[in-house]
Amino acid sequence: MDVPYFDLKAQYAALREEIVPALERVCENASFILGPEVTAFEKEFAAYCEVKHCVALNTGTSALHLAMLAAGVGRDDEVVTTANTFIATAEAISYIGAKPVFVDIDRATANIDPRQIERAVTNRTKAIVPVHLYGRPVDLDAILKIGADRNIPVIEDACQAHGARYRGKRIGGFGMAAGFSFYPGKNLGAYGEGGALTTDDDRVAELARTLRDHGSTRRYYHDLVGWNYRMDGFQGAVLRIKLRHLDDWTARRIAIAKMYRQILKGSTVVVPDDSPDAEAIYHLFVVYVENRDAVRTALEAKGVQTAIHYPVPVHLQKAYAYLGHQAGAFPHTEWAAERAISLPLFPELTDEQVRYAAEALVEVAGGK
Ligand SMILES: *Cc1c(COP(=O)(O)O)cnc(C)c1O
């Protein structure tokens, strides 16, 4: 049986009749940049995330960058974040000229370890950026308390976690601001690049709106040196349609994750715990095995495609060599990077495909 790692074509086939007329509407109105579809999406996504403001942007990386600026992070300041993430989390810090201060994960969850944050904070720390990695919320109570006690803003990297909940409330409104990505492969994916900043803070929202559009609120009058971080009209139209389906897709992702957990239980495959305080939305289903590369090859031979998120932790990337971290600096993150396998996970997978992939993994990884 073939189990592809990921496939967006089936989803388009199901949505085609909604999407095509919406894209035509954008063409007919010639509202290619921002415009009514984007404004409507901002309202709908803010409501979905249970926050006051959503500012639509061109990418999730831009959202994190603007959040960093709104937090007042400056050159040579420090920002504490996880070494186990996609590089964009760190890049947004670097765009300011600030220093990413990486910390290790809690191996039980693969998410940033609040005790490590506490140790890494100094009087130059200007923000803390936890990542809800793979769609699984971080320990927000502990992290928000560290921030509140020291007056350091918390910025959620929510790029993989659209709709996830922590103690019953959607993530995206817990810190000063949050960054979301609508890269096509994300749970809520655009048909091109896309991102958003969410916040309950009027000042942060207004600053992000001004900075995304060349520092202007009135055309050709520029109060600040800004960026061109605007969302396209097409993306607003697509995202509005897809947002209406998101909870159904998420329910299917959760059901698939549950099947994986059931079949992998008692095997040698390590599956990270789900926090009892949180509802994960499973952007990815990542497990840990010994001899990872051989296991992936054997799965491939059985028709099961997999991926690795991420093969090289951020502190060991060449781009961050100047920070001087050596292998061994963050043992849990490095343990994970050597063993992680992302299993196929998208709503259109059938139960048969999920069962086949999970059973194949148990077999090739050394059984129960
Ligand atoms: C995708 C992603 C980003 C960046 O989003 P883009 O829209 O690709 O710029 C940032 N952080 C994490 C954790 C991501 O997965």
Side-chain angles (χ1 to χ4, degrees):
M1 186 184 293
D2 276 339
V3 188
Y5 175 68
F6 190 60
D7 176 18
L8 276 172
K9 290 180 190 146
Q11 189 194 70
Y12 175 62
L15 295 180
R16 196 177 179 282
E17 290 184 7
E18 286 179 87
I19 299 246
V20 171
L23 294 180
E24 257 173 9
R25 231 170 24 243
V26 173
C27 294
E28 278 155 14
N29 296 334
S31 51
F32 297 112
I33 310 288
L34 298 175
E37 295 284 343
V38 172
T39 304
F41 172 68
E42 286 178 327
K43 288 205 178 75
E44 290 158 11
F45 194 64
Y48 182 81
C49 296
E50 302 166 1
V51 291
K52 206 164 159 194
H53 305 282
C54 164
V55 181
L57 302 167
N58 61 338
T59 68
T61 311
S62 304
L64 296 171
H65 180 203
L66 295 186
M68 224 65 71
L69 289 163
V73 178
R75 184 165 290 278
D76 299 327
D77 286 339
E78 295 177 356
V79 177
V80 176
T81 192
T82 170
N84 191 28
T85 183
F86 179 58
I87 193 150
T89 318
E91 284 177 314
I93 299 164
S94 299
Y95 291 171
I96 311 264
K99 180 185 169 190
V101 175
F102 299 115
V103 301
D104 211 349
I105 53 171
D106 176 348
R107 204 193 278 184
T109 65
N111 269 329
I112 194 166
D113 181 347
R115 288 163 303 185
Q116 300 294 332
I117 298 177
E118 203 145 21
R119 262 174 241 164
V121 164
T122 71
N123 55 11
R124 279 156 59 202
T125 307
K126 291 293 157 58
I128 300 168
V129 187
V131 180
H132 304 298
L133 197 69
Y134 313 142
R136 302 162 63 248
V138 296
D139 183 354
L140 277 162
D141 277 354
I143 295 168
L144 291 169
K145 184 170 185 324
I146 295 167
D149 287 350
R150 295 164 181 78
N151 212 5
I152 303 170
V154 173
I155 295 165
E156 296 171 82
D157 182 337
C159 287
Q160 300 188 358
H162 318 73
R165 291 177 201 271
Y166 183 78
R167 297 197 190 282
K169 178 179 147 58
R170 300 263 198 210
I171 56 97
F174 282 92
M176 193 207 67
F180 284 90
S181 169
F182 307 121
Y183 178 81
K186 300 290 161 82
N187 288 23
L188 179 61
Y191 281 4
E193 303 277 3
L197 177 148
T198 57
T199 182
D200 281 320
D201 185 325
D202 298 347
R203 181 199 67 88
V204 171
E206 197 183 312
L207 183 65
R209 262 179 220 293
T210 307
L211 289 177
R212 79 169 166 188
D213 194 13
H214 300 288
S216 84
T217 48
R218 188 174 152 210
R219 204 163 198 193
Y220 303 128
Y221 291 80
H222 305 274
D223 303 335
L224 297 166
V225 176
W227 280 265
N228 179 355
Y229 280 176
R230 297 171 304 218
M231 180 181 275
D232 286 355
F234 283 137
Q235 307 316 333
V238 168
L239 288 167
R240 288 187 72 196
I241 292 165
K242 290 181 72 169
L243 182 58
R244 298 198 276 268
H245 297 274
L246 183 58
D247 282 341
D248 287 343
W249 293 333
T250 297
R252 177 67 189 148
R253 283 176 181 274
I254 292 171
I256 291 170
K258 204 168 160 190
M259 279 184 73
Y260 275 139
R261 273 185 194 283
Q262 266 161 7
I263 298 169
L264 298 174
K265 203 168 171 178
S267 78
T268 57
V269 177
V270 177
V271 182
D273 299 338
D274 258 341
S275 160
D277 300 327
E279 186 180 298
I281 48 81
Y282 291 99
H283 172 52
L284 304 176
F285 196 87
V286 176
V287 298
Y288 304 96
V289 295
E290 301 302 323
N291 306 313
R292 186 255 319 274
D293 296 339
V295 168
R296 288 191 70 211
T297 307
L299 284 174
E300 179 91 49
K302 289 176 173 288
V304 178
Q305 287 176 13
T306 58
I308 303 176
H309 297 87
Y310 296 91
V312 181
V314 188
H315 68 285
L316 297 178
Q317 294 284 354
K318 273 191 202 153
Y320 284 107
Y322 76 93
L323 291 172
H325 293 296
Q326 304 293 321
F330 303 114
H332 298 307
T333 298
E334 291 164 34
W335 179 93
E338 282 162 22
R339 292 166 180 80
I341 297 189
S342 306
L343 301 182
L345 177 55
F346 55 96
E348 293 79 12
L349 280 175
T350 65
D351 285 0
E352 291 67 35
Q353 285 175 307
V354 175
R355 194 170 305 118
Y356 177 82
E359 284 168 358
L361 176 60
V362 171
E363 195 184 316
V364 306
K368 297 215 178 189

